[in-house]
Amino acid sequence: MTAVQLEVASEGGGTVISLAGPLTATALAPVWTRAVDAARRAGDGLAIDVSGAELIDTSGAALLLALERDHSGRIEWRGLGEKPAQLMARLRLAVPEGVTAKVPARTVARTSVWRTFLIRVTFFGQTILATASLPGKLRFLRGGNFFRLVERAGTQAMPLVGMMGFLIGMILAFQSAIPMRQFGADIYVAALVSLSLFRELGPLLGAVILAGRTGSAFAAELGTMVVNEEVAALTTMGIDAETMLVIPRMAAAMVVMPALALGVDIAGVLGMGLVMMILGFPPSAILNQIQMATGPYDLLLGLFKAVVFGAAIGLIGCRAGLTAGGGPRAVGEAATSAVVGGIVVTILLDGLFAVIFYRLGL
Amino acid sequence: MSAACAPAIVVDHAGQSFGGRVIFEDVSFTVATGEVFVVLGGSGCGKSTLLKQMIGLLTPTKGRITVGGYDVVERVALVRREIGVMFQSGALFGSMTLLENVMLPLVMFTDLPARARAEIARIKLAMVGLAEAVNLLPSEISGGMAKRAAIARALALDPPILFLDEPSAGLDPITGAGLDRLILDLRATLDCTFVVVTHELQSIFAIADRCVMLDREARGMIALGVPRDLQQSSTHPTVRAFFNRDAP
């Protein structure tokens, strides 16, 4: 295909813009800006000559309309055939003026933040109501579904939990042993790491894994159901989506979360024990230190926190999914929102627990 | 439409099977330049499969198809420069506004400045009646608007041949009729060749110059011609049943 030629010439005090060649989308790039600039600069008496144009498609017509719009005065058309003239006439009718304005970003952001807050509060309230009215809606719960959720969120996550806990235990032990050895206190690494794991790191790491694996999966699954109008179908059938979809997931997350935390605890202690043995401490000394530094209540406090974290992550994952918008992007956004929200809320709750336990002397 | 025009599409004894399952075989027809040609038939007869063959998404297991003079198997890249496709669902990209959706082919295949791309995309959307919706996301528009936007995107590079898969499926009669009018309007304005896959009778009678009918039982084509002629003179029971909305 030949290239488009543009010529701008003066003629009798006016300007002539001549366009030749194929005026099509793939050929117009070299001349578009120059042609529009020439039309804008031209005074009265602009003529546009397209007698050399081999073809004028809608992109070519778009250029001619842009020249017409950007030139303030009258235009004399030369060599414009009947078909291109009809096309331009049709496009002039179709294209309204001033439709390019967008909603100001500030308004969008303010509306979005307020709306998001309302959605979250409403969802939290709906879930509380659904939980309160559960005894009358037990038929909406499906036992098989609950156990499948537990398997996916808990059993299938255990290898990952074990590996992460083991590595974290090893890393903590190595990192602590170096400064503590300077004071001859490296035997206390066992107490330090085990206490950290039982009270903080076990539930926290378990929660991060649950948010990343399960919270995002809940959001993606429910978000897809929303996009495919499956949730709307449930609602129109009179089935409460909160009861059927949210409560089993939240319950599954609450059930598996202590197991995940315990998994991190055990694997972390094993990792720490391995490092301590490499450093020359016998297993009996390590066990003795763990027993002296920690008690059952440390483990139980950690497991209690894990249950609360599980409920929060399950709830946030379901909320993100069920409040997803339309289109495939909504599912991705819901999954991201579930992971970020789950981790942030877990850390906030952990901080709250730290204050409460401190005030209670636990 | 001139009978002397070179055919835009030639389907020559095309067949498709998956494993041992034959979908259709021995399908042959030509589509003239500037024609609105409809592929019709009942559910499961292979309409969409034939469409996928013509747009180069599926390699025919038998026969040969040329589109715009190019073999769809050997010269698929060239074929794709000649065609625009509207998928049944619209297949708009959810993360882009309608304007960005229509601009995408212009971004990919031209060196036009950004302002020119936006100008052209805006005009394409205006042509399909979506001038006011340029900044909306696909999730914010109706099914009929999505199909119109998909047509605008298919038109982005002014291809000479347009394939539309079930353009009026799932739409109300008024919106469906609006789309039919749009197709005729675009044909008149742009001289495009249209291949439309549909089983909507009203649509077929409104837009089709000619049609080919596929049948699941026959595993191939059972009729080729002008819809009104087929309705009045075909002796094939399935063809008569289809055009008269009757059980065979």
Side-chain angles (χ1 to χ4, degrees):
Chain A
M1 187 175 271
T2 53
V4 179
Q5 287 103 43
L6 168 71
E7 275 184 30
V8 182
S10 297
E11 186 184 276
T15 306
V16 180
I17 297 175
S18 302
L19 288 157
L23 305 191
T24 61
T26 47
L28 283 170
V31 301
W32 185 290
T33 308
R34 281 191 297 137
V36 171
D37 285 347
R40 199 174 290 147
R41 284 198 306 270
D44 284 340
L46 172 64
I48 298 176
D49 184 353
V50 288
S51 53
E54 297 161 16
L55 176 66
I56 301 177
D57 67 7
T58 45
S59 300
L63 172 61
L64 300 182
L65 288 177
L67 301 182
E68 188 177 78
R69 190 195 54 215
D70 286 9
H71 178 66
S72 49
R74 199 181 63 81
I75 294 176
E76 178 197 341
W77 292 101
R78 294 179 188 172
L80 188 64
E82 188 186 346
K83 273 267 177 188
Q86 284 173 356
L87 177 60
M88 286 178 65
R90 191 183 184 287
L91 295 180
R92 278 190 202 100
L93 285 176
V95 182
E97 292 298 322
V99 184
T100 52
K102 292 190 174 185
V103 181
R106 188 164 159 267
T107 312
V108 171
R110 284 175 62 184
T111 310
S112 174
V113 168
W114 176 242
R115 193 163 169 271
T116 305
F117 175 73
L118 283 181
I119 286 169
R120 284 169 195 204
V121 170
T122 307
F123 184 80
F124 189 58
Q126 282 172 337
T127 308
I128 290 173
L129 286 175
T131 310
S133 61
L134 191 59
K137 295 178 178 172
L138 287 175
R139 65 185 181 283
F140 292 158
L141 297 177
R142 293 174 302 156
N145 188 34
F146 172 76
F147 291 114
R148 267 195 302 277
L149 290 166
V150 168
E151 190 202 351
R152 269 164 43 197
T155 316
Q156 292 177 7
M158 273 303 170
L160 177 66
V161 162
M163 187 187 73
M164 278 190 66
F166 189 78
L167 291 173
I168 289 288
M170 283 181 72
I171 293 163
L172 280 177
F174 263 125
Q175 295 290 341
S176 318
I178 296 164
M180 290 180 81
R181 176 168 281 180
Q182 294 173 4
F183 305 103
D186 41 354
I187 182 61
Y188 297 112
V189 166
L192 177 75
V193 173
S194 54
L195 193 62
S196 306
L197 281 168
F198 293 169
R199 291 186 70 115
E200 289 296 333
L201 288 175
L204 211 54
L205 278 174
V208 170
I209 291 169
L210 190 77
R213 273 189 89 255
T214 308
S216 59
F218 286 172
E221 188 180 2
L222 298 186
T224 307
M225 288 180 74
V226 169
V227 171
N228 292 340
E229 297 184 319
E230 291 170 44
V231 174
L234 284 177
T235 308
T236 53
M237 283 187 271
I239 297 171
D240 187 10
E242 273 79 21
T243 308
M244 187 170 164
L245 301 174
V246 178
I247 290 176
R249 282 170 176 76
M250 208 169 81
M254 289 167 76
V255 166
V256 301
M257 192 50 217
L260 296 181
L262 200 60
V264 175
D265 292 346
I266 294 168
V269 166
L270 289 175
M272 175 270 293
L274 180 67
V275 170
M276 294 297 282
M277 285 194 289
I278 291 168
L279 292 174
F281 293 100
S284 58
I286 301 166
L287 274 175
N288 190 38
Q289 273 298 315
I290 294 173
Q291 283 172 352
M292 282 175 60
T294 62
Y297 58 88
D298 291 311
L299 196 63
L300 289 174
L301 279 180
L303 297 184
F304 170 72
K305 286 203 297 189
V307 174
V308 179
F309 293 167
I313 290 165
L315 193 65
I316 287 167
C318 293
R319 189 272 306 157
L322 286 179
T323 56
R329 189 172 68 166
V331 177
E333 284 174 352
T336 305
S337 169
V339 176
V340 173
I343 292 173
V344 168
V345 167
T346 298
I347 291 169
L348 287 175
L349 285 173
D350 199 36
L352 190 67
F353 278 126
V355 174
I356 292 170
F357 292 163
Y358 174 74
R359 298 292 294 179
L360 294 175
L362 294 172
Chain B
M1 181 189 58
S2 160
C5 287
I9 298 168
V10 178
V11 177
D12 184 17
H13 299 287
Q16 185 71 49
S17 52
F18 297 108
R21 193 164 62 95
V22 177
I23 307 299
F24 58 77
E25 53 192 358
D26 210 20
V27 171
S28 296
F29 57 85
T30 59
V31 180
T33 301
E35 189 175 24
V36 178
F37 188 86
V38 168
V39 179
L40 59 90
S43 301
C45 67
K47 300 189 296 288
S48 293
T49 304
L50 180 61
L51 176 78
K52 284 180 183 170
Q53 288 184 340
M54 287 190 279
I55 62 178
L57 288 180
L58 204 57
T59 304
T61 45
K62 282 183 186 170
R64 184 169 184 260
I65 297 176
T66 58
V67 174
Y70 302 110
D71 187 291
V72 289
V73 177
E74 292 163 9
R75 313 292 296 275
V76 69
L78 291 171
V79 166
R80 289 191 177 141
R81 300 303 294 267
E82 297 288 312
I83 64 172
V85 183
M86 190 215 84
F87 290 94
Q88 189 174 350
S89 63
L92 297 171
F93 302 112
S95 58
M96 300 179 186
T97 63
L98 299 193
L99 191 77
E100 289 166 334
N101 262 285
V102 179
M103 277 169 62
L104 187 67
L106 296 165
V107 173
M108 294 295 165
F109 296 109
T110 75
D111 298 319
L112 287 165
R115 197 177 151 212
R117 292 198 298 261
E119 189 79 38
I120 292 170
R122 191 167 156 253
I123 279 179
K124 307 282 179 185
L125 284 164
M127 284 175 70
V128 298
L130 292 175
E132 314 281 341
V134 289
N135 294 324
L136 297 181
L137 290 166
S139 57
E140 298 169 327
I141 60 175
S142 67
M145 289 167 80
K147 295 206 174 193
R148 283 172 174 270
I151 291 177
R153 189 177 64 183
L155 285 169
L157 292 170
D158 287 291
I161 304 166
L162 277 161
F163 291 90
L164 312 181
D165 190 6
E166 305 274 9
S168 48
L171 300 179
D172 65 86
I174 296 172
T175 310
L179 268 177
D180 292 342
R181 199 163 51 243
L182 174 68
I183 292 166
L184 294 175
D185 214 6
L186 290 173
R187 193 264 293 266
T189 314
L190 306 175
D191 287 335
C192 289
T193 304
F194 281 87
V195 176
V196 183
V197 173
T198 185
H199 52 221
E200 304 276 335
L201 263 185
Q202 286 183 322
S203 218
I204 293 163
F205 286 126
I207 62 173
D209 293 318
R210 287 189 312 134
C211 63
V212 63
M213 184 168 181
L214 303 183
D215 183 54
R216 190 169 56 176
E217 299 296 318
R219 294 196 175 124
M221 55 187 278
I222 53 172
L224 177 67
V226 178
R228 287 281 173 210
D229 294 349
L230 292 176
Q231 184 189 29
Q232 286 160 10
S233 58
S234 176
T235 53
H236 195 291
T238 309
V239 178
R240 293 190 67 81
F242 185 92
F243 281 107
N244 295 308
R245 288 182 68 89
D246 198 9

